[in-house]
Structures are given as C-alpha cells and as structure tokens.
Amino acid sequence: MSYNKLNLKQIQKLGETISKYLFPGAKLLLFGNLGTGKTTLTSYIVNSLSKSPINVTSPTFSLVKVYDTNPTIYHVDLYRLNEPQEIEYLDVFMDPKGIYIIEWADFLDYLTPEERLEIHISYNEDIRYRDVKIEGFGEKYKEMEANIEKEQ
C-alpha cells in the first residue's frame, strides 16, 4: 500500500498505527534517502510502546540503540557499514522476542529476513511532505499491512 503527500501529523498517526500491530520478533525494514524521516517514524513507533517519553535519535554512530519498551525495541542504523559481514558481526537479530527497526535496510543484502515489513519513505515532489510505501512479506506481515491500511 502507498500513502502520498503525508505531513508530519499523518506520519505520527502512521507510526502509532504500526505500533499497534507489532509483535515479539517483528522486523521493520526502513528504506529512504537521508532526511526522509526514517528516525522520525521510528520515534513515533517507539514512543507509542513506551510508558514514558523517549528521545529517539539515529544510532548512526552507535549502530544499535535498545529501548525499554514491551517488547524491547532494537533500533539499528546500517548507514556506516560497508559489508554485510559487518552486520553478521553485530548479530543483529539475536533476541527472538525483540522488535527490530532497521534503518538503511538495503545494506542487509543476503541477511534480509524472509518475513518482514518494508517501509519505503521518499520525498514527495512538494518537499514538505513524504510518500510512504508499506509492504509485508510473509503471512503475519501481510496481515499487519492490511490492518494498518484499514486504519489509515
């Protein structure tokens, strides 16, 4: 499903809706150029699952940030990595009960999970807005995609 010309408030609603359908072991793969809003969307998702406000920033230098949510969210940024082998070293999907939000997921290469929810964020021709495409791979994620679409 695709959403066009979303403003910040609509992206917040989308993040809150996505958070309703997350489950232990969920994998969200985020794609988009610099500044399109991957971390902003992640912030809305994380804060929807948190008891108190969390300042979500991009883990570009730390590579992984862990948020005290239920279930635990692992926020991963692969921008600085050059080879998929470096990702293997990180052991990105080590917690089977954790939720994974992966920025710059195109760097996963052969480590891309078969079952996942892909979220592609791009600039709209009007730079103040974003276009978002969501696609589920695997039964749970296709169902998740359908549920998100019903609420938007």
Side-chain angles (χ1 to χ4, degrees):
M1 79 189 119
S2 293
Y3 305 99
N4 295 319
K5 208 169 182 181
L6 297 181
N7 62 31
L8 194 57
K9 196 73 176 159
Q10 291 166 312
I11 289 173
Q12 179 178 3
K13 181 179 185 269
L14 180 61
E16 291 167 353
T17 301
I18 290 168
S19 72
K20 290 180 190 179
Y21 298 103
L22 291 173
F23 52 88
K27 295 168 182 71
L28 305 182
L29 278 53
L30 305 183
F31 301 83
N33 290 331
L34 281 170
T36 53
K38 296 179 296 296
T39 302
T40 299
L41 179 63
T42 299
S43 176
Y44 293 133
I45 294 168
V46 168
N47 279 288
S48 292
L49 294 175
S50 174
K51 292 177 185 150
S52 56
I54 295 175
N55 181 28
V56 175
T57 58
S58 178
T60 301
F61 295 103
S62 62
L63 301 178
V64 180
K65 287 191 177 178
V66 181
Y67 298 108
D68 185 22
T69 55
N70 189 14
T72 301
I73 292 178
Y74 297 87
H75 181 197
V76 182
D77 186 327
L78 303 178
Y79 183 71
R80 291 182 343 134
L81 299 181
N82 297 315
E83 300 289 331
Q85 291 84 356
E86 292 176 288
I87 300 164
E88 280 184 44
Y89 178 74
L90 283 177
D91 198 13
V92 173
F93 302 116
M94 69 198 161
D95 180 357
K97 294 180 181 173
I99 293 171
Y100 290 88
I101 303 176
I102 314 288
E103 294 191 33
W104 298 96
D106 35 335
F107 291 117
L108 281 170
D109 195 37
Y110 64 85
L111 296 171
T112 300
E114 280 187 39
E115 296 191 358
R116 65 199 183 272
L117 189 73
E118 288 191 4
I119 303 171
H120 297 261
I121 306 171
S122 59
Y123 290 105
N124 181 272
E125 57 188 45
D126 181 337
I127 197 98
R128 296 173 296 169
Y129 301 98
R130 300 297 183 264
D131 296 333
V132 179
K133 179 183 171 204
I134 298 176
E135 186 174 4
F137 294 84
E139 282 308 307
K140 285 193 269 188
Y141 293 95
K142 287 179 182 178
E143 185 178 322
M144 189 178 179
E145 176 187 348
N147 287 329
I148 293 166
E149 186 172 26
K150 285 179 197 170
E151 289 200 39
Q152 289 304 305

